[in-house]
Short mmCIF file of all heavy atoms in Angstrom, two decimals:
data_model
loop_
_atom_site.label_atom_id
_atom_site.label_comp_id
_atom_site.label_asym_id
_atom_site.label_seq_id
_atom_site.Cartn_x
_atom_site.Cartn_y
_atom_site.Cartn_z
N LEU Q 143 9.32 16.98 0.77
CA LEU Q 143 9.36 18.40 1.13
C LEU Q 143 10.64 18.73 1.89
O LEU Q 143 11.28 19.75 1.64
CB LEU Q 143 8.14 18.77 1.97
CG LEU Q 143 6.78 18.63 1.27
CD1 LEU Q 143 5.67 19.12 2.17
CD2 LEU Q 143 6.74 19.42 -0.03
N ALA Q 144 11.04 17.82 2.80
CA ALA Q 144 12.24 18.07 3.62
C ALA Q 144 13.46 18.21 2.72
O ALA Q 144 14.33 19.05 2.97
CB ALA Q 144 12.42 16.94 4.62
N LYS Q 145 13.50 17.40 1.64
CA LYS Q 145 14.65 17.48 0.70
C LYS Q 145 14.76 18.87 0.07
O LYS Q 145 15.81 19.30 -0.34
CB LYS Q 145 14.49 16.43 -0.40
CG LYS Q 145 15.10 15.09 -0.03
CD LYS Q 145 15.36 14.24 -1.25
CE LYS Q 145 14.08 13.70 -1.78
NZ LYS Q 145 14.14 12.81 -2.91
N LYS Q 146 13.62 19.55 -0.05
CA LYS Q 146 13.61 20.90 -0.65
C LYS Q 146 13.60 21.99 0.42
O LYS Q 146 13.30 23.15 0.13
CB LYS Q 146 12.35 21.07 -1.51
CG LYS Q 146 12.16 20.00 -2.54
CD LYS Q 146 12.80 20.39 -3.84
CE LYS Q 146 12.63 19.30 -4.87
NZ LYS Q 146 13.39 19.51 -6.06
N GLY Q 147 13.81 21.59 1.67
CA GLY Q 147 13.82 22.56 2.76
C GLY Q 147 12.43 23.07 3.12
O GLY Q 147 12.29 24.14 3.70
N LEU Q 148 11.39 22.30 2.74
CA LEU Q 148 10.02 22.72 3.04
C LEU Q 148 9.42 21.78 4.08
O LEU Q 148 9.94 20.68 4.28
CB LEU Q 148 9.15 22.64 1.76
CG LEU Q 148 9.62 23.49 0.59
CD1 LEU Q 148 8.90 23.07 -0.69
CD2 LEU Q 148 9.35 24.96 0.89
N SER Q 149 8.35 22.21 4.71
CA SER Q 149 7.73 21.28 5.65
C SER Q 149 6.21 21.29 5.48
O SER Q 149 5.65 22.23 4.91
CB SER Q 149 8.10 21.62 7.09
OG SER Q 149 7.63 22.91 7.38
N LEU Q 150 5.60 20.22 5.96
CA LEU Q 150 4.16 20.05 5.80
C LEU Q 150 3.43 20.75 6.94
O LEU Q 150 3.75 20.55 8.11
CB LEU Q 150 3.87 18.54 5.85
CG LEU Q 150 2.55 18.05 5.28
CD1 LEU Q 150 2.46 18.39 3.80
CD2 LEU Q 150 2.46 16.54 5.47
N GLN Q 151 2.45 21.61 6.60
CA GLN Q 151 1.63 22.27 7.63
C GLN Q 151 0.19 21.86 7.36
O GLN Q 151 -0.56 22.60 6.75
CB GLN Q 151 1.74 23.80 7.49
CG GLN Q 151 3.14 24.36 7.49
CD GLN Q 151 3.80 24.26 8.86
OE1 GLN Q 151 3.15 24.00 9.88
NE2 GLN Q 151 5.11 24.43 8.91
N PRO Q 152 -0.19 20.66 7.81
CA PRO Q 152 -1.54 20.19 7.43
C PRO Q 152 -2.64 21.06 8.02
O PRO Q 152 -2.56 21.46 9.18
CB PRO Q 152 -1.61 18.79 8.05
CG PRO Q 152 -0.25 18.44 8.49
CD PRO Q 152 0.50 19.71 8.68
N ARG Q 153 -3.63 21.34 7.19
CA ARG Q 153 -4.82 22.04 7.70
C ARG Q 153 -5.64 21.04 8.50
O ARG Q 153 -6.25 21.36 9.49
CB ARG Q 153 -5.62 22.56 6.51
CG ARG Q 153 -6.93 23.15 6.91
CD ARG Q 153 -7.70 23.62 5.69
NE ARG Q 153 -8.85 24.40 6.08
CZ ARG Q 153 -9.64 24.97 5.19
NH1 ARG Q 153 -9.41 24.84 3.90
NH2 ARG Q 153 -10.69 25.64 5.60
N LEU Q 154 -5.65 19.80 8.02
CA LEU Q 154 -6.39 18.72 8.66
C LEU Q 154 -5.60 17.43 8.50
O LEU Q 154 -4.98 17.22 7.45
CB LEU Q 154 -7.70 18.48 7.90
CG LEU Q 154 -8.99 19.17 8.32
CD1 LEU Q 154 -10.11 18.68 7.41
CD2 LEU Q 154 -9.32 18.86 9.77
N ALA Q 155 -5.61 16.58 9.51
CA ALA Q 155 -5.04 15.24 9.36
C ALA Q 155 -6.19 14.25 9.46
O ALA Q 155 -6.99 14.30 10.39
CB ALA Q 155 -4.01 14.97 10.44
N LEU Q 156 -6.29 13.37 8.46
CA LEU Q 156 -7.41 12.44 8.40
C LEU Q 156 -6.88 11.01 8.31
O LEU Q 156 -5.92 10.74 7.58
CB LEU Q 156 -8.28 12.75 7.17
CG LEU Q 156 -8.94 14.13 7.20
CD1 LEU Q 156 -9.07 14.70 5.82
CD2 LEU Q 156 -10.28 14.05 7.88
N GLY Q 157 -7.54 10.10 9.00
CA GLY Q 157 -7.06 8.72 9.09
C GLY Q 157 -7.51 7.83 7.97
O GLY Q 157 -7.43 6.61 8.10
N SER Q 158 -7.97 8.39 6.87
CA SER Q 158 -8.45 7.54 5.77
C SER Q 158 -8.29 8.23 4.43
O SER Q 158 -8.55 9.44 4.31
CB SER Q 158 -9.92 7.17 6.05
OG SER Q 158 -10.77 7.57 5.03
N ASN Q 159 -7.87 7.46 3.43
CA ASN Q 159 -7.72 8.03 2.08
C ASN Q 159 -9.08 8.49 1.55
O ASN Q 159 -9.17 9.50 0.85
CB ASN Q 159 -7.16 6.97 1.14
CG ASN Q 159 -5.73 6.61 1.47
OD1 ASN Q 159 -4.93 7.47 1.81
ND2 ASN Q 159 -5.40 5.33 1.40
N GLU Q 160 -10.13 7.71 1.86
CA GLU Q 160 -11.47 8.06 1.37
C GLU Q 160 -11.90 9.42 1.92
O GLU Q 160 -12.44 10.25 1.19
CB GLU Q 160 -12.49 6.99 1.81
CG GLU Q 160 -12.48 5.75 0.96
CD GLU Q 160 -12.66 6.04 -0.52
OE1 GLU Q 160 -13.69 6.63 -0.89
OE2 GLU Q 160 -11.76 5.70 -1.30
N ALA Q 161 -11.65 9.64 3.23
CA ALA Q 161 -12.05 10.90 3.85
C ALA Q 161 -11.27 12.05 3.20
O ALA Q 161 -11.82 13.12 2.94
CB ALA Q 161 -11.78 10.85 5.34
N ILE Q 162 -10.00 11.82 2.89
CA ILE Q 162 -9.20 12.87 2.25
C ILE Q 162 -9.77 13.20 0.87
O ILE Q 162 -9.96 14.36 0.51
CB ILE Q 162 -7.72 12.44 2.15
CG1 ILE Q 162 -7.10 12.45 3.56
CG2 ILE Q 162 -6.93 13.38 1.22
CD1 ILE Q 162 -5.64 12.18 3.61
N LYS Q 163 -10.08 12.15 0.13
CA LYS Q 163 -10.63 12.35 -1.22
C LYS Q 163 -11.91 13.19 -1.17
O LYS Q 163 -12.09 14.12 -1.95
CB LYS Q 163 -10.94 10.96 -1.80
CG LYS Q 163 -10.49 10.77 -3.21
CD LYS Q 163 -10.44 9.32 -3.57
CE LYS Q 163 -11.77 8.61 -3.46
NZ LYS Q 163 -11.65 7.18 -3.78
N GLN Q 164 -12.78 12.86 -0.23
CA GLN Q 164 -14.06 13.58 -0.12
C GLN Q 164 -13.82 15.02 0.33
O GLN Q 164 -14.52 15.93 -0.10
CB GLN Q 164 -15.02 12.87 0.84
CG GLN Q 164 -15.45 11.49 0.39
CD GLN Q 164 -15.87 11.44 -1.07
OE1 GLN Q 164 -16.51 12.37 -1.58
NE2 GLN Q 164 -15.48 10.38 -1.78
N THR Q 165 -12.81 15.23 1.18
CA THR Q 165 -12.53 16.59 1.67
C THR Q 165 -11.90 17.43 0.55
O THR Q 165 -12.17 18.62 0.42
CB THR Q 165 -11.62 16.52 2.92
OG1 THR Q 165 -12.10 15.48 3.76
CG2 THR Q 165 -11.63 17.81 3.70
N VAL Q 166 -11.07 16.80 -0.28
CA VAL Q 166 -10.53 17.49 -1.46
C VAL Q 166 -11.69 17.85 -2.40
O VAL Q 166 -11.78 18.98 -2.89
CB VAL Q 166 -9.49 16.61 -2.21
CG1 VAL Q 166 -9.13 17.22 -3.57
CG2 VAL Q 166 -8.22 16.43 -1.38
N ALA Q 167 -12.60 16.89 -2.60
CA ALA Q 167 -13.74 17.13 -3.50
C ALA Q 167 -14.65 18.24 -2.96
O ALA Q 167 -15.33 18.92 -3.73
CB ALA Q 167 -14.54 15.84 -3.67
N ALA Q 168 -14.62 18.44 -1.63
CA ALA Q 168 -15.43 19.52 -1.04
C ALA Q 168 -14.72 20.87 -1.16
O ALA Q 168 -15.24 21.90 -0.74
CB ALA Q 168 -15.68 19.20 0.44
N GLY Q 169 -13.51 20.86 -1.72
CA GLY Q 169 -12.79 22.11 -1.96
C GLY Q 169 -12.05 22.63 -0.74
O GLY Q 169 -11.69 23.81 -0.68
N MET Q 170 -11.79 21.76 0.23
CA MET Q 170 -11.15 22.24 1.47
C MET Q 170 -9.63 22.28 1.41
O MET Q 170 -8.99 22.72 2.36
CB MET Q 170 -11.59 21.39 2.64
CG MET Q 170 -13.00 21.73 3.07
SD MET Q 170 -13.48 20.84 4.53
CE MET Q 170 -12.38 21.53 5.74
N GLY Q 171 -9.04 21.79 0.35
CA GLY Q 171 -7.58 21.86 0.26
C GLY Q 171 -7.03 20.91 -0.77
O GLY Q 171 -7.78 20.22 -1.48
N VAL Q 172 -5.69 20.87 -0.84
CA VAL Q 172 -5.00 19.96 -1.76
C VAL Q 172 -4.46 18.78 -0.95
O VAL Q 172 -4.40 18.83 0.27
CB VAL Q 172 -3.84 20.68 -2.50
CG1 VAL Q 172 -4.35 21.85 -3.32
CG2 VAL Q 172 -2.77 21.16 -1.50
N SER Q 173 -4.05 17.74 -1.66
CA SER Q 173 -3.46 16.59 -0.96
C SER Q 173 -2.58 15.80 -1.92
O SER Q 173 -2.46 16.13 -3.10
CB SER Q 173 -4.58 15.70 -0.39
OG SER Q 173 -4.01 14.75 0.48
N VAL Q 174 -1.97 14.75 -1.38
CA VAL Q 174 -1.19 13.81 -2.19
C VAL Q 174 -1.62 12.41 -1.76
O VAL Q 174 -1.57 12.08 -0.58
CB VAL Q 174 0.33 13.97 -1.94
CG1 VAL Q 174 1.10 12.87 -2.66
CG2 VAL Q 174 0.82 15.34 -2.41
N LEU Q 175 -2.08 11.63 -2.75
CA LEU Q 175 -2.51 10.26 -2.44
C LEU Q 175 -2.00 9.32 -3.52
O LEU Q 175 -1.62 9.74 -4.62
CB LEU Q 175 -4.05 10.16 -2.42
CG LEU Q 175 -4.81 10.86 -1.29
CD1 LEU Q 175 -6.31 10.67 -1.51
CD2 LEU Q 175 -4.40 10.34 0.08
N SER Q 176 -2.01 8.04 -3.20
CA SER Q 176 -1.67 7.04 -4.20
C SER Q 176 -2.72 7.06 -5.31
O SER Q 176 -3.93 7.21 -5.04
CB SER Q 176 -1.67 5.65 -3.56
OG SER Q 176 -1.73 4.66 -4.56
N GLU Q 177 -2.29 6.86 -6.55
CA GLU Q 177 -3.23 6.84 -7.67
C GLU Q 177 -4.22 5.67 -7.52
O GLU Q 177 -5.31 5.71 -8.09
CB GLU Q 177 -2.44 6.73 -8.98
CG GLU Q 177 -3.13 7.37 -10.14
CD GLU Q 177 -2.29 7.35 -11.41
OE1 GLU Q 177 -1.07 7.57 -11.32
OE2 GLU Q 177 -2.86 7.11 -12.48
N HIS Q 178 -3.84 4.66 -6.75
CA HIS Q 178 -4.75 3.52 -6.54
C HIS Q 178 -6.03 3.93 -5.81
O HIS Q 178 -7.03 3.24 -5.90
CB HIS Q 178 -4.05 2.43 -5.72
CG HIS Q 178 -3.04 1.67 -6.52
ND1 HIS Q 178 -3.38 0.59 -7.32
CD2 HIS Q 178 -1.72 1.82 -6.65
CE1 HIS Q 178 -2.30 0.12 -7.91
NE2 HIS Q 178 -1.27 0.85 -7.52
N THR Q 179 -5.99 5.06 -5.08
CA THR Q 179 -7.17 5.47 -4.30
C THR Q 179 -8.23 6.11 -5.20
O THR Q 179 -9.32 6.41 -4.74
CB THR Q 179 -6.80 6.50 -3.21
OG1 THR Q 179 -6.35 7.70 -3.86
CG2 THR Q 179 -5.73 5.99 -2.28
N LEU Q 180 -7.89 6.36 -6.47
CA LEU Q 180 -8.75 7.18 -7.31
C LEU Q 180 -9.63 6.37 -8.25
O LEU Q 180 -10.16 6.89 -9.22
CB LEU Q 180 -7.89 8.17 -8.11
CG LEU Q 180 -7.00 9.04 -7.22
CD1 LEU Q 180 -6.00 9.83 -8.06
CD2 LEU Q 180 -7.84 9.99 -6.38
N THR Q 181 -9.77 5.09 -7.95
CA THR Q 181 -10.52 4.22 -8.87
C THR Q 181 -12.01 4.57 -8.90
O THR Q 181 -12.67 4.37 -9.90
CB THR Q 181 -10.35 2.75 -8.47
OG1 THR Q 181 -10.51 2.67 -7.05
CG2 THR Q 181 -8.99 2.21 -8.86
N SER Q 182 -12.55 5.10 -7.79
CA SER Q 182 -13.97 5.50 -7.81
C SER Q 182 -14.18 6.62 -6.80
O SER Q 182 -13.36 6.83 -5.91
CB SER Q 182 -14.87 4.32 -7.47
OG SER Q 182 -14.63 3.95 -6.14
N GLY Q 183 -15.29 7.33 -6.96
CA GLY Q 183 -15.65 8.39 -6.02
C GLY Q 183 -14.75 9.61 -6.11
O GLY Q 183 -14.67 10.39 -5.17
N ALA Q 184 -14.04 9.77 -7.25
CA ALA Q 184 -13.11 10.89 -7.36
C ALA Q 184 -13.47 11.78 -8.54
O ALA Q 184 -12.62 12.43 -9.13
CB ALA Q 184 -11.68 10.36 -7.50
N GLU Q 185 -14.77 11.84 -8.87
CA GLU Q 185 -15.20 12.55 -10.08
C GLU Q 185 -14.85 14.05 -10.04
O GLU Q 185 -14.51 14.62 -11.06
CB GLU Q 185 -16.72 12.40 -10.30
CG GLU Q 185 -17.17 10.98 -10.65
CD GLU Q 185 -17.13 10.02 -9.45
OE1 GLU Q 185 -17.17 10.54 -8.31
OE2 GLU Q 185 -17.04 8.80 -9.64
N ASP Q 186 -14.92 14.65 -8.85
CA ASP Q 186 -14.65 16.10 -8.77
C ASP Q 186 -13.19 16.41 -8.46
O ASP Q 186 -12.81 17.57 -8.27
CB ASP Q 186 -15.52 16.73 -7.67
CG ASP Q 186 -16.98 16.75 -8.09
OD1 ASP Q 186 -17.23 16.67 -9.31
OD2 ASP Q 186 -17.84 16.82 -7.21
N VAL Q 187 -12.38 15.36 -8.40
CA VAL Q 187 -10.98 15.54 -8.01
C VAL Q 187 -10.11 15.43 -9.25
O VAL Q 187 -10.35 14.59 -10.11
CB VAL Q 187 -10.59 14.43 -7.00
CG1 VAL Q 187 -9.12 14.46 -6.68
CG2 VAL Q 187 -11.42 14.58 -5.73
N CYS Q 188 -9.11 16.30 -9.36
CA CYS Q 188 -8.21 16.16 -10.51
C CYS Q 188 -6.76 16.17 -10.05
O CYS Q 188 -6.43 16.62 -8.95
CB CYS Q 188 -8.47 17.24 -11.55
SG CYS Q 188 -7.78 18.82 -11.11
N GLN Q 189 -5.95 15.61 -10.93
CA GLN Q 189 -4.52 15.49 -10.64
C GLN Q 189 -3.84 16.80 -11.04
O GLN Q 189 -4.10 17.33 -12.11
CB GLN Q 189 -3.97 14.32 -11.45
CG GLN Q 189 -2.58 13.94 -11.07
CD GLN Q 189 -2.17 12.65 -11.75
OE1 GLN Q 189 -2.99 11.78 -11.97
NE2 GLN Q 189 -0.91 12.54 -12.08
N LEU Q 190 -2.97 17.30 -10.17
CA LEU Q 190 -2.23 18.54 -10.48
C LEU Q 190 -0.87 18.19 -11.08
O LEU Q 190 -0.34 17.11 -10.83
CB LEU Q 190 -2.02 19.35 -9.20
CG LEU Q 190 -3.28 19.77 -8.44
CD1 LEU Q 190 -2.89 20.53 -7.18
CD2 LEU Q 190 -4.20 20.62 -9.31
N GLN Q 191 -0.34 19.14 -11.83
CA GLN Q 191 1.00 18.93 -12.39
C GLN Q 191 2.00 19.75 -11.58
O GLN Q 191 2.25 20.92 -11.88
CB GLN Q 191 1.00 19.28 -13.87
CG GLN Q 191 0.07 18.35 -14.62
CD GLN Q 191 0.22 18.42 -16.13
OE1 GLN Q 191 1.17 19.00 -16.65
NE2 GLN Q 191 -0.73 17.84 -16.83
N VAL Q 192 2.51 19.12 -10.56
CA VAL Q 192 3.42 19.80 -9.64
C VAL Q 192 4.82 19.20 -9.82
O VAL Q 192 4.96 17.98 -9.98
CB VAL Q 192 2.96 19.60 -8.17
CG1 VAL Q 192 3.91 20.30 -7.20
CG2 VAL Q 192 1.54 20.13 -7.99
N GLU Q 193 5.84 20.06 -9.78
CA GLU Q 193 7.22 19.58 -9.94
C GLU Q 193 7.57 18.58 -8.85
O GLU Q 193 7.22 18.78 -7.68
CB GLU Q 193 8.17 20.77 -9.89
CG GLU Q 193 8.17 21.54 -11.21
CD GLU Q 193 8.92 22.86 -11.14
OE1 GLU Q 193 9.51 23.17 -10.10
OE2 GLU Q 193 8.88 23.59 -12.15
N GLY Q 194 8.25 17.51 -9.25
CA GLY Q 194 8.65 16.48 -8.27
C GLY Q 194 7.65 15.33 -8.18
O GLY Q 194 7.90 14.34 -7.49
N PHE Q 195 6.50 15.47 -8.89
CA PHE Q 195 5.48 14.42 -8.89
C PHE Q 195 5.31 13.85 -10.29
O PHE Q 195 5.58 14.52 -11.25
CB PHE Q 195 4.14 14.99 -8.42
CG PHE Q 195 4.13 15.29 -6.95
CD1 PHE Q 195 4.44 16.56 -6.50
CD2 PHE Q 195 3.81 14.30 -6.04
CE1 PHE Q 195 4.43 16.84 -5.13
CE2 PHE Q 195 3.80 14.58 -4.68
CZ PHE Q 195 4.11 15.85 -4.22
N PRO Q 196 4.77 12.61 -10.40
CA PRO Q 196 4.39 11.71 -9.31
C PRO Q 196 5.62 11.17 -8.56
O PRO Q 196 6.70 11.11 -9.11
CB PRO Q 196 3.67 10.57 -10.03
CG PRO Q 196 4.17 10.61 -11.44
CD PRO Q 196 4.52 12.02 -11.72
N ILE Q 197 5.40 10.80 -7.30
CA ILE Q 197 6.44 10.10 -6.56
C ILE Q 197 6.27 8.63 -6.92
O ILE Q 197 5.21 8.05 -6.68
CB ILE Q 197 6.28 10.31 -5.04
CG1 ILE Q 197 6.28 11.80 -4.70
CG2 ILE Q 197 7.39 9.58 -4.29
CD1 ILE Q 197 5.99 12.12 -3.23
#
Side-chain angles (χ1 to χ4, degrees):
L143 297 184
K145 271 200 286 183
K146 307 269 179 189
L148 301 166
S149 62
L150 199 61
Q151 306 289 347
R153 173 181 190 177
L154 266 182
L156 297 147
S158 121
N159 292 320
E160 280 306 301
I162 289 185
K163 225 163 60 182
Q164 296 314 322
T165 317
V166 169
M170 284 185 66
V172 299
S173 191
V174 173
L175 291 178
S176 163
E177 209 175 320
H178 285 276
T179 65
L180 304 170
T181 45
S182 66
E185 292 74 22
D186 290 339
V187 173
C188 77
Q189 190 171 327
L190 301 178
Q191 297 192 13
V192 180
E193 282 170 4
F195 288 94
I197 303 174

